[in-house]
Every structure is written in structure tokens, then in C-alpha cells.
Amino acid sequence: MALYARPSWQLTRQVTTDVFVVVWTGVWWLAGRALDGVIRGLASPSRAIQDAAGSMQDGFEEAARSVETVPLAGPTLRKPFDAAASGLQQVWQSAHDQVVGIEQVATMTGLLTFAIPVAIILALWLPVRIRFIRNSRATARFISTQPNLELLALRALATQPFHRLAQVSNDPLAAWRDGDEQVIDALAELELRRNGLRRPRVARLPDPPAIEGRTQPS
């Protein structure tokens, strides 16, 4: 099995496409993060209001606890401070809700900005790569032991463009039918190259040692 074709224009296209997909994914990831940051920045005024309201609420609550220690009039003096602290609590909660809402919008917008373009390019690129790998794996099974050159040649006749077939023979189909080994080898090589494979080398057995003849006694 091969992930890429053998050195050819097909390999160049595959590598270029893969690099483009990686760059495309990275660019849209950065774009999503940038947009997320911009939208989150819109929550800065609400965060400032939230912080100010929280600080003022703490101050009024501290003042309420202080005046409560005044004999007799303590509970009465505390009421205005408690009312102010309660109002500031509502302001804080409103600002907090705005911050949460803006951050949720920022997260969703950034995610969609990244996911939609990447999903589109993956839907176009991934099936092509998977199909190439599956074809390469299937072809590798035919050459794992004894290369089935005739089948590979027939496959080449069905898949290769006409200008490449014409480079092999003026009539490659007739040559295949006639069992022309040279044409069959060339067609099989085209199919192997298309799937990123090489024909396995068949180990050649060494020649048996020569047996010296024995001289018959006269």
C-alpha cells in the first residue's frame, strides 16, 4: 500500500493538494480564533460594569455591616445600604449575563468560521485520498506474491488516458489480446505507477553447481 504515487505529475498534484489542505485548515483556524477574540472584545464594557458593580456592592455591604453596630439605630441605618447593594447585585447580574452571551456567540462564531470551510475542503479532498489508498492496497495484493501482469494491464486499458496508451502501442488492446509481453509489461507498469507501487523483485535462484564428469575406466 502506498500513500502517494510514484514520482510523476500525479505525485506533484497529490503533495500540492495535501499541503494546500493543511494550509487551508491552518488559515481558517487562525481566522476563527481571531474572530473569536474580536467578538469577545465587545464584552469589555460589560466586564467593566460587572467589576465596578461588584466592587461597589462589596463596599455597600461592608458599610451595612459597619452601621449595624450602632446601638438602637443600627438596623434602620443598614436598610439604605442593603437596598443599594441589592440594586448593584442586579446590575452585576445583568452585566454578567451580557458577558456570558457575548462569549457564547464568540465561541460559536469562531467554531463555525473554522469548521465550515474545512468541512467543505475535506469533503472534496478526503474521498480522493481514500480512494487512492484503497486502490493502492487492492493492487498491492495482486503483486504481493506473483504479479498478475495481465490483470494490471487490463486495468490500465480501462483507466489510463488515451495519450498514455498510445505511447505504449498503436493498438494496445489487440496487443493485450495477443499476449504481447512487452505491451503487457508496459501497461502493468502504468497501472502500478498510478497506484504508487513498484513491481516486486523476484529473487533469482542461483545456478546449480556444475557436476564434473567422471572418466570411465578403459
Side-chain angles (χ1 to χ4, degrees):
M1 183 187 70
L3 296 178
Y4 292 95
R6 287 163 55 184
S8 61
W9 284 111
Q10 183 183 8
L11 174 61
T12 303
R13 289 195 302 270
Q14 288 177 334
V15 173
T16 302
T17 303
D18 290 355
V19 171
F20 174 78
V21 170
V22 173
V23 173
W24 177 274
T25 302
V27 167
W28 284 106
W29 168 258
L30 295 176
R33 292 292 301 273
L35 187 58
D36 178 275
V38 170
I39 296 177
R40 287 179 185 273
L42 300 177
S44 296
S46 297
R47 291 193 189 95
I49 294 174
Q50 180 182 356
D51 294 340
S55 298
M56 294 177 65
Q57 180 184 359
D58 292 340
F60 278 109
E61 289 177 349
E62 180 65 25
R65 287 191 293 270
S66 298
V67 298
E68 190 178 17
T69 59
V70 177
L72 300 177
T76 303
L77 295 175
R78 177 180 178 136
K79 289 181 179 180
F81 294 99
D82 287 338
S86 178
L88 289 171
Q89 171 63 27
Q90 295 178 1
V91 173
W92 182 93
Q93 186 63 47
S94 177
H96 175 73
D97 292 342
Q98 290 181 3
V99 171
V100 171
I102 292 174
E103 289 180 346
Q104 289 177 347
V105 171
T107 300
M108 185 60 63
T109 304
L111 181 61
L112 292 177
T113 300
F114 165 74
I116 292 176
V118 172
I120 293 174
I121 198 67
L122 288 180
L124 298 174
W125 167 79
L126 198 57
V128 177
R129 298 297 288 129
I130 293 176
R131 183 166 58 251
F132 175 84
I133 294 173
R134 290 180 62 185
N135 289 338
S136 176
R137 180 184 300 172
T139 305
R141 289 201 297 266
F142 289 106
I143 63 172
S144 59
T145 54
Q146 181 66 27
N148 193 336
L149 299 183
E150 291 188 1
L151 180 59
L152 294 175
L154 180 60
R155 177 68 175 171
L157 287 172
T159 59
Q160 292 292 330
F162 287 110
H163 71 275
R164 290 185 180 175
L165 296 177
Q167 294 173 356
V168 174
S169 172
N170 292 331
D171 192 350
L173 180 58
W176 176 83
R177 288 173 177 170
D178 295 338
D180 189 324
E181 293 185 359
Q182 184 176 359
V183 173
I184 290 175
D185 286 349
L187 291 173
E189 178 65 20
L190 287 178
E191 184 64 15
L192 290 173
R193 180 181 294 274
R194 187 176 71 89
N195 290 282
L197 301 173
R198 296 181 183 274
R199 188 184 309 182
R201 295 182 178 180
V202 180
R204 182 179 179 182
L205 297 177
D207 296 333
I211 300 177
E212 297 181 358
R214 295 182 179 179
T215 304
Q216 297 294 333
S218 56

